[in-house]
Amino acid sequence: MSRFRRSLLAFALLTGATASAHAANPTMFRDAGCGCCLKWLAQVKASFKAPVTVVNAADMAAVKDKQGVPQALRSCHTVLVGGYVIEGHVPAKEIARLLREKPKGVKGLAVAGMPMGSPGMEHGDHREAYTVMTFGTGGQRVYASYAASSGAHAH
């Protein structure tokens, strides 16, 4: 077992998680005070095709540091699934595409911040423009873009 996996396993056991980053069953790390995380999970859990373990983590920065999530791409929750890291409000179809295509050099997908109108952040028909980014050894690249709804302003 590699040093990384031993460290990850120790971290998972410390936080009460029952799965590691490379396990089949996804694990969601979230701040217990954040309600949008569970709204997002309700929309995307079908794309995981497995039960999701939810871990209320006291130190989300440590989780993101451990998983190598770039500072500029961080959001409110982090999910480990199929050997990938999903950061923030990534739409289900992009997660399914990642798990199907398994692109080289990609450690995960991220939607930075908490854009209004992204999955779990709905507010009527208002949607800000947002981008799903890849990150990993291949660098950061645009994976998908979502346009703002009419009348919405991109920030």
Side-chain angles (χ1 to χ4, degrees):
M1 181 181 292
S2 72
R3 184 176 179 173
F4 171 78
R5 288 190 59 150
R6 280 193 307 272
S7 296
L8 183 60
L9 182 58
F11 177 77
L13 291 173
L14 268 172
T15 59
T18 58
S20 73
H22 299 285
N25 289 353
T27 301
M28 171 192 246
F29 294 89
R30 66 181 285 269
D31 181 304
C34 186
C36 67
C37 301
L38 296 179
K39 290 179 185 174
W40 172 83
L41 181 60
Q43 293 182 34
V44 302
K45 65 183 174 184
S47 66
F48 295 141
K49 299 182 187 314
V52 179
T53 300
V54 177
V55 177
N56 293 325
D59 187 354
M60 285 301 297
V63 171
K64 294 165 191 318
D65 290 345
K66 186 79 164 174
Q67 299 307 322
V69 178
Q71 285 286 339
L73 297 181
R74 293 184 178 191
S75 184
C76 55
H77 55 266
T78 305
V79 176
L80 309 179
V81 59
Y84 293 99
V85 179
I86 307 298
E87 178 68 15
H89 295 266
V90 177
K93 73 179 189 176
E94 307 309 342
I95 297 167
R97 180 176 148 211
L98 174 74
L99 295 173
R100 183 179 64 251
E101 294 178 355
K102 299 178 181 7
K104 299 280 187 219
V106 173
K107 181 174 186 158
L109 297 178
V111 170
M114 299 167 69
M116 185 68 63
S118 61
M121 292 294 297
E122 292 83 3
H123 184 71
D125 61 359
H126 177 82
R127 183 177 68 226
E128 297 174 330
Y130 67 95
T131 305
V132 179
M133 299 292 294
T134 64
F135 61 93
T137 58
Q140 296 178 26
R141 297 192 191 332
V142 173
Y143 194 69
S145 295
Y146 290 79
S149 59
S150 59
H153 296 58
H155 297 277

